[in-house]
Amino acid sequence: MISERVKRSLSREFKGSRLAQLGVVLVLLLFLVATFAPFLALHDPTTTRIGTGGTEDLSELPPLGFSYTEQRVTPSGSETVEITARQTFPLGTNALGQDIYSRLLYGARVSLLVGLLGALLATAIGVPYGLVAGYFGDRIDDTLMRGADVMLAFPSLVLAIALVGVFRDSDVHTTTVPDPFVHAARSDIVPNVLIPRAAHVAEMPASFTFPVTVTLVVALVNWVWFARVARGEAMSVRAEEFIKAARSAGASDWRILRQHVLPNSLTPIIVLATIQVAAIILLESALSFLGFSGTDLTWGADISDGRSDQRSYWWIATMPGLAIVLAVIGVNLLGDWLRDALDPSIEGEGGV
Amino acid sequence: MGLAKFLIKRLLQGVVVTWGVVTVVFFLRYLTPGDPTATLLPPDAGPEVRQRLRENLGLDQPLYVQYYDYITDLVVLDFGESMSSGREVAGLVASRLPATIELAVAATFVAVVLAIPLGVISARRRREPVDYGATLFSLIGISTPNFWLGVMLIIFVGVHVDVIPTTGRQMGLRTALFALSNGSASELGQWAAQLVLPAITLGTYFTALITRLTRSGMLEELGQSYVTACRAKGLPETLTLYKHVLRNTLIPIVTVLGLQLGTLIGGAVITETVFAWPGLGRFLITSINNRDWTSIQGTIIVIGVGFVLINIVVDSLYAYLDPRVTAE
C-alpha cells in the first residue's frame, strides 16, 4: 500500500531533517516507556511512604543533585534537618512519598492510550462524515456541515469539560486494564526465566485505570477537524476523471467512496491524525489537571498535586510537565515530518 | 457579492449556528445520568417535596414544552436561577465576563506584539541563530500545556518578584481607570501587574503559533517577484517587509487565528483556574463541580455565542484584508 515514491520522499525528508529524527526518537521512547513501564519502574507508582506505622517518611524527597533544609518539631524542641536526594528516587517523591520517576512511566500509558484511541475514534467518526458530505455535495453537504459548524462553535476544552461533567457520574467513567507483564510474572503460565526481572515486575500494580469517558469526549470534541479535511479531499477527488470512469462502469456510490475516494484522501488524514494525537494528549492532561479524568496516575493529575503543595517542592509539578512537553514535541515533529514528506501543500505552516 | 451582502449572509449563518448551540446545550442536560433534584435536595427529602420541586422547575412538563420555555426565556436573556446560590445566572455570568475579556485581550496583545516582529525577523534572517532560536521557541510554545506553564511561572517567578501578584484579581480595569481619573496612577500599575503572569500563560501558545505562521508566510511571500520590484525601485527594506510582504502574509494568519480562537477561550478557562482569576472559566469549573446545571448552561451559551460573534468579526476582517473573499 505504501508506494516506492512515498518511501523515498519519507526517507529523503528524514535524512535531511534533524528535527524529524528527534521526533521519531521521542515517539519511540514514549512507546517503549508506556509499554514496558513495569520493567523500567523502580517502585510501584502507587506506594505511599508518609512514615506511618513505623516506616520511614520519604515524602517530598528532592531529585538527584538537590537538597533542602526543613524545620522539624521533635519532643525536645525543633531542629533543622537537611533533606537530601536518594539514588532510588532519582526524580524525587511527591507529598505522599510516591516515586515521581515511576509515576511518569505509568502516566505515559494513559497519555499515549488516550491520544491514540481518541484520535482513532475521532477519525472513525469524522472521516466517513466528511467524505459523505464532500462526495455528495449540495443539500447533504450543507446539512452535514452546518452540524459540524455547531460543534466548532464550542471551544474544544469547554465542550470537553461540559461533556465530562455530564458523563462523570455514569458507570463507564473509567475501566481497569490488567497489565499482561505483571500477570505473566505472577502466574506460572509463562516460565519466569523468560521474563527479565520477573520478581521485580510481579510487585508492580496488576492493572491500571483507563479513563473511558475522557477518551470518548476527546474524540467527540475533535472529530470535526477530520470531517473538514475529509470533506475537502472528497470534493477535489470527486471531480477526477477516474471517478467518472468508475461511475460509468456501474460502480455504486458506496463502492466509489470506499475504493476510490477514501484511498485518495488518506495522506492529509494521516498527517492530521498524527497532529491530533498531540492535541489530544494536551487536552487529556488539561482534563486530568482539572480532576475530571477519574484516575490520578496521569501527568495532568500529578501537576495538579504539585501545585497544591508548598512552592518549595518545585519538582513535583515540574517533572510531569516536562514529560508532557517532550511527548507532545515528539508527536508534533513526527507530524511535521509526515506533512513535509507526503504533502507539502497542507496548511501553510512550513517547517525548518 | 459585495461586502454588505457577505456580512448579511455570515450573520444569518451565525444565527443558525447559535440556535444549534443553544439546542445542544439544552439536550446536554438530559443526557446527565441521575435525577436533577437529587443535587438540590438533602438526601432525606420525601417524595412529595421532590415532586413539588420538579413541578416548580417545570421538569414534569413534556420535553417540547420545556424546550419552548427554555428558548423563549433565552431570547430575553433569562438564563434562570443558579441551582447552588439561587441568584440570577445572567447576572452571575455578566459579573465574570470583564475578567475573562481582559485576560483574553491581554494575551492576544502579548501574542501579536511579540510574534509578528519575531516571525518577520526570523524569516529575514533565515538559517541564522535568531531564526533557530525563534523556531525552537515556537516548537516548545505550541507543545507546552498552558496550565503547567502557569504553575511554573507561579513557582519560579511569582514567589521571587513581589510586584507581581500570583493569584486573584484585585481590581477591574474600570476601577483602575476611575482611580486614574481621580489623579491616582498606581491602581493602573497594579491592574497591569496582576495581568502579567496570566497573560503570559495564556498568550505563549499563540505567540508560538503566530511566530510560526508569520515566518512561513513571509518566506513564501519573499520569493514573489513584487518583492524584487520593491527592492529594485529602492524602497527601504523595512518598508518592503512591513508594508508589502507582511500585509500579504496577514491573510493566512487571520484565518488560522479565527479557527484557533476556541483554543484561546478554552485556554482562558484553565488559566483562570490556575491563577484563581474570577472569570467565566473558573465559574464554569465551579458550576460543574457543584452540578449547578443552570449556571453551566448559561456559561456555555455565553461562551458559544461569544465565539460565534468573534468569528463573524474575524471573517469580516478577512473580507476587508482580502476582497476576493466576497467575490464568490
Side-chain angles (χ1 to χ4, degrees):
Chain A
M1 189 180 129
I2 301 170
S3 71
E4 276 307 311
R5 191 177 63 88
V6 168
K7 274 189 205 153
R8 236 180 304 129
S9 76
L10 276 175
S11 104
R12 180 159 15 96
E13 193 67 36
F14 185 75
K15 281 180 195 137
S17 164
R18 290 250 170 241
L19 288 177
Q21 294 162 10
L22 177 66
V24 170
V25 168
L26 285 174
V27 171
L28 277 179
L29 203 66
L30 180 64
F31 267 93
L32 286 176
V33 158
T35 313
F36 298 111
F39 298 96
L40 301 167
L42 295 173
H43 309 271
D44 180 330
T46 57
T47 306
T48 56
R49 301 168 189 84
I50 47 171
T52 48
T55 56
E56 197 183 357
D57 181 3
L58 293 175
S59 62
E60 285 140 359
L61 289 180
L64 286 180
F66 295 91
S67 66
Y68 65 99
T69 54
E70 198 176 65
Q71 290 290 326
R72 287 226 171 133
V73 185
T74 54
S76 55
S78 78
E79 56 171 10
T80 309
V81 210
E82 187 178 27
I83 316 271
T84 50
R86 300 201 182 191
Q87 291 285 337
T88 47
F89 299 98
L91 297 181
T93 57
N94 63 15
L96 295 173
Q98 295 165 323
D99 178 35
I100 291 181
Y101 164 75
S102 305
R103 290 185 71 80
L104 291 192
L105 302 180
Y106 274 85
R109 284 193 161 178
V110 176
S111 286
L112 188 64
L113 258 184
V114 173
L116 290 177
L117 291 179
L120 205 67
L121 197 59
T123 314
I125 306 170
V127 169
Y129 192 97
L131 287 182
V132 166
Y135 177 74
F136 291 105
D138 297 336
R139 293 276 282 281
I140 295 180
D141 183 34
D142 273 348
T143 318
L144 289 180
M145 290 329 276
R146 273 304 92 77
D149 280 349
V150 172
M151 295 300 289
L152 278 178
F154 297 101
S156 56
L157 185 65
V158 173
L159 184 61
I161 289 171
L163 286 172
V164 174
V166 167
F167 294 113
R168 188 168 37 158
D169 300 327
S170 66
D171 296 334
V172 289
H173 187 39
T174 58
T175 184
T176 42
V177 182
D179 188 319
F181 299 117
V182 177
H183 274 264
R186 285 183 186 181
S187 74
D188 302 327
I189 306 166
V190 186
N192 274 359
V193 282
L194 291 178
I195 304 170
R197 308 177 69 203
H200 172 81
V201 171
E203 305 212 327
M204 292 295 143
S207 60
F208 69 96
T209 309
F210 175 71
V212 180
T213 303
V214 167
T215 310
L216 294 176
V217 162
V218 294
L220 281 177
V221 166
N222 283 338
W223 66 270
V224 192
W225 300 102
F226 289 93
R228 286 171 67 104
V229 168
R231 169 179 176 263
E233 287 300 304
M235 278 167 67
S236 66
V237 173
R238 138 185 108 153
E240 301 277 347
E241 293 294 326
F242 63 86
I243 300 289
K244 286 183 201 150
R247 197 174 295 134
S248 62
S252 67
D253 283 329
W254 175 236
R255 192 186 152 80
I256 293 177
L257 268 173
R258 221 178 25 165
Q259 295 285 333
H260 301 289
V261 181
L262 177 63
N264 281 293
S265 314
L266 271 186
T267 309
I269 291 171
I270 290 170
V271 174
L272 178 69
T274 315
I275 297 168
Q276 279 289 319
V277 171
I280 289 176
I281 290 178
L282 283 176
L283 191 57
E284 185 276 330
S285 72
L287 289 173
S288 52
F289 174 76
L290 292 170
F292 291 144
S293 140
T295 163
D296 65 345
L297 193 48
T298 65
W299 292 339
D302 278 353
I303 294 176
S304 173
D305 278 350
R307 174 174 76 121
S308 52
D309 268 318
Q310 289 169 31
R311 281 157 190 182
S312 43
Y313 311 132
W314 54 269
W315 57 91
I316 301 174
T318 306
M319 299 302 173
L322 289 175
I324 298 175
V325 174
L326 287 178
V328 174
I329 285 184
V331 179
N332 272 333
L333 288 176
L334 190 75
D336 284 355
W337 169 46
L338 293 178
R339 182 197 57 207
D340 292 343
L342 302 179
D343 189 354
S345 67
I346 304 171
E347 298 276 306
E349 288 177 50
V352 175
Chain B
M1 187 163 67
L3 190 61
K5 208 171 160 194
F6 171 81
L7 284 182
I8 291 169
K9 191 182 157 201
R10 195 61 194 76
L11 274 174
L12 284 177
Q13 275 179 7
V15 171
V16 174
V17 172
T18 303
W19 170 74
V21 167
V22 164
T23 307
V24 168
V25 171
F26 175 80
F27 283 107
L28 262 186
R29 181 171 167 185
Y30 288 90
L31 292 171
T32 326
D35 182 0
T37 61
T39 54
L40 291 170
L41 291 172
D44 56 344
E48 315 87 65
V49 183
R50 223 166 267 283
Q51 185 54 32
R52 200 151 1 109
L53 182 69
R54 294 181 68 84
E55 281 164 24
N56 276 340
L57 292 172
L59 295 173
D60 55 335
Q61 303 279 335
L63 203 57
Y64 66 88
V65 176
Q66 290 187 38
Y67 181 69
Y68 177 79
D69 288 344
Y70 164 82
I71 295 280
T72 43
D73 283 348
L74 277 187
V75 171
V76 291
L77 293 181
D78 179 0
F79 295 103
E81 282 157 12
S82 160
M83 286 173 154
S84 61
S85 70
R87 292 165 59 192
E88 287 286 327
V89 172
L92 289 171
V93 168
S95 70
R96 278 155 180 87
L97 205 52
T100 299
I101 293 177
E102 276 173 26
L103 178 59
V105 170
T108 315
F109 179 76
V110 168
V112 170
V113 166
L114 289 178
I116 290 186
L118 195 58
V120 173
I121 295 167
S122 181
R124 183 78 194 95
R125 308 204 171 279
R126 197 180 181 192
R127 298 190 203 288
E128 287 179 33
V130 61
D131 180 29
Y132 289 122
T135 308
L136 188 68
F137 159 76
S138 53
L139 179 65
I140 295 174
I142 60 165
S143 308
T144 303
N146 63 0
F147 60 89
W148 180 67
L149 181 64
V151 171
M152 291 295 102
L153 286 173
I154 291 175
I155 293 180
F156 291 108
V157 180
V159 278
H160 303 296
V161 186
D162 286 340
V163 206
I164 302 178
T166 53
T167 53
R169 175 176 178 262
Q170 275 75 34
M171 76 187 80
L173 180 59
R174 218 168 52 179
T175 320
L177 287 179
F178 186 71
L180 188 68
S181 71
N182 287 339
S184 165
S186 67
E187 276 82 358
L188 199 63
Q190 283 176 32
W191 172 80
Q194 65 184 6
L195 258 173
V196 172
L197 294 185
I200 294 176
T201 301
L202 183 55
T204 297
Y205 174 83
F206 289 90
T207 314
L209 188 73
I210 301 174
T211 306
R212 231 168 124 105
L213 289 172
T214 311
R215 178 182 176 276
S216 61
M218 289 289 289
L219 283 178
E220 219 163 275
E221 288 294 323
L222 281 172
Q224 306 278 342
S225 45
Y226 74 85
V227 181
T228 321
C230 284
R231 286 176 180 158
K233 74 172 182 182
L235 208 62
E237 187 64 17
T238 324
L239 209 59
T240 312
L241 284 179
Y242 284 91
K243 192 176 167 203
H244 296 278
V245 185
L246 182 61
R247 188 177 161 133
N248 284 327
T249 311
L250 279 180
I251 296 167
I253 295 178
V254 170
T255 318
V256 175
L257 276 191
L259 283 172
Q260 290 287 339
L261 274 172
T263 323
L264 183 76
I265 299 171
V269 171
I270 201 155
T271 306
E272 286 175 8
T273 312
V274 173
F275 288 96
W277 191 260
L280 271 189
R282 210 164 89 96
F283 183 60
L284 177 66
I285 304 284
T286 322
S287 307
I288 287 201
N289 285 331
N290 292 337
R291 291 172 171 71
D292 177 352
W293 265 104
T294 37
S295 297
I296 298 173
Q297 284 182 330
T299 316
I300 296 180
I301 288 171
V302 169
I303 292 177
V305 172
F307 189 39
V308 171
L309 284 177
I310 299 171
N311 265 312
I312 294 177
V313 173
V314 170
D315 281 356
S316 319
L317 193 65
Y318 188 47
Y320 166 75
L321 282 170
D322 186 357
R324 284 171 299 182
V325 178
T326 55
E328 209 167 88

